């Protein structure tokens, strides 16, 4: 059973870059079955899908964030990462990583990590 | 982007009674491959969302059979036949037929 765990700083200053990593265990990130995704949830609000990366490196980003988002994969470490540049208070949220398949979509989620943007 | 609209936004249910949540999409979620890419998630308090239903009506592994999904095209429904205390949380529908994937606003279910 695949498990996911997010890690990274819980506090980021405005205008800086938010960087998070998701470690995949119990399966290979190189499996062609999965699209490795990031989703976020501002406090008390709903879910926003940020984007995904396929093991080959191909990506898709939500146009609402596209100019600031980079998702990358490190197959040697079985990890994928999120970078969000020029952050503001509006980027304060719980960030989740998740695996998605064509059939079951976002079927396995990490526990999430809270990131606060504040000086 | 496809807009997903859920109703109601909140629901208070007596244990043992049924509950129903509606989700409407701004475009058809029926793909040319014959599949409909509509999903239901439950986010229990303090937890990440968990997949309940995929492709409209298929229960994910371990999901109790009191949960059922139905619908087609742009109109979908999640039904809980007999609500239990552990079913409290926020329910979200989501579409993946078109990028970006989008979620409904969420429906908060509480127990009376």
């Amino acid at each position: 059973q695949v498990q996911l765990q997010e890690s990274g700083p819980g506090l980021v200053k405005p205008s800086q870059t938010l960087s998070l990593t998701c470690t995949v265990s119990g399966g290979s990130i190189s499996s062609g079955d999965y699209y490795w995704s990031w989703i976020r949830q501002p406090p008390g609000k709903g879910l926003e899908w940020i984007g995904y990366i396929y093991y080959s490196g191909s990506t898709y980003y939500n146009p609402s964030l596209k100019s600031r988002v980079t998702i990358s994969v490190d197959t040697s470490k079985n990890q994928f990462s999120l970078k969000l540049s020029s952050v503001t208070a509006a980027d304060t949220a719980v960030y989740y990583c998740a695996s998605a398949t064509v059939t079951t979509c976002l079927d396995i989620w990490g526990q999430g990590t809270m990131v606060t943007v504040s000086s | 982007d496809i807009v997903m609209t859920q109703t109601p936004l909140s629901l208070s249910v007596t244990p043992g009674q049924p509950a129903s949540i509606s989700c409407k999409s701004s475009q058809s979620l029926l793909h040319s491959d014959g599949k409909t890419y509509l999903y239901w998630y439950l986010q229990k308090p303090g937890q990440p969302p968990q997949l309940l239903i995929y492709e409209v009506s298929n229960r994910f592994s371990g999901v109790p059979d009191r949960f059922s999904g139905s619908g087609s095209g742009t109109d979908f429904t999640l039904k809980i036949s007999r609500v239990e205390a552990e079913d409290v949380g926020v329910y979200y529908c989501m579409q993946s037929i078109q990028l970006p994937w989008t979620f409904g606003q969420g429906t908060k279910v509480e127990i009376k």
Side-chain angles (χ1 to χ4, degrees), chain A residues 53-76:
Chain A
I53 188 165
Y54 196 49
Y55 80 101
S56 62
S58 62
T59 55
Y60 184 88
Y61 304 137
N62 193 322
S64 66
L65 298 168
K66 185 176 182 179
S67 63
R68 299 194 291 130
V69 171
T70 303
I71 298 176
S72 58
V73 64
D74 186 336
T75 55
S76 66

Side-chain angles (χ1 to χ4, degrees), chain A residues 41 49 96 103-106 110, chain B residues 39 41 43 48 51 92 94 101:
Chain A
Q41 185 173 37
W49 180 74
Y96 296 100
T103 299
T104 53
C105 209
L106 299 164
Chain B
Y39 304 82
Y41 295 85
Q43 186 173 30
L51 178 64
Y92 294 94
M94 193 203 85
W101 299 345

Side-chain angles (χ1 to χ4, degrees), chain A residues 35 37 39 41 45-49 52 60 62-63 96 100-112, chain B residues 1 33 35 37 39 41 43 46-51 54-55 60 92 94-96 99-105:
Chain A
Y35 295 81
S37 293
I39 305 97
Q41 185 173 37
K45 295 188 178 181
L47 300 163
E48 179 181 31
W49 180 74
Y52 68 58
Y60 184 88
N62 193 322
Y96 296 100
T101 71
V102 171
T103 299
T104 53
C105 209
L106 299 164
D107 55 358
I108 300 171
W109 295 61
Q111 285 301 305
Chain B
D1 297 4
D33 64 7
K35 298 180 180 180
Y37 292 94
Y39 304 82
Y41 295 85
Q43 186 173 30
Q47 295 186 21
Q50 58 188 81
L51 178 64
Y54 63 95
E55 292 178 355
F60 190 54
Y92 294 94
M94 193 203 85
Q95 66 80 24
S96 69
L99 293 165
W101 299 345
T102 50
F103 294 89
Q105 323 95 297

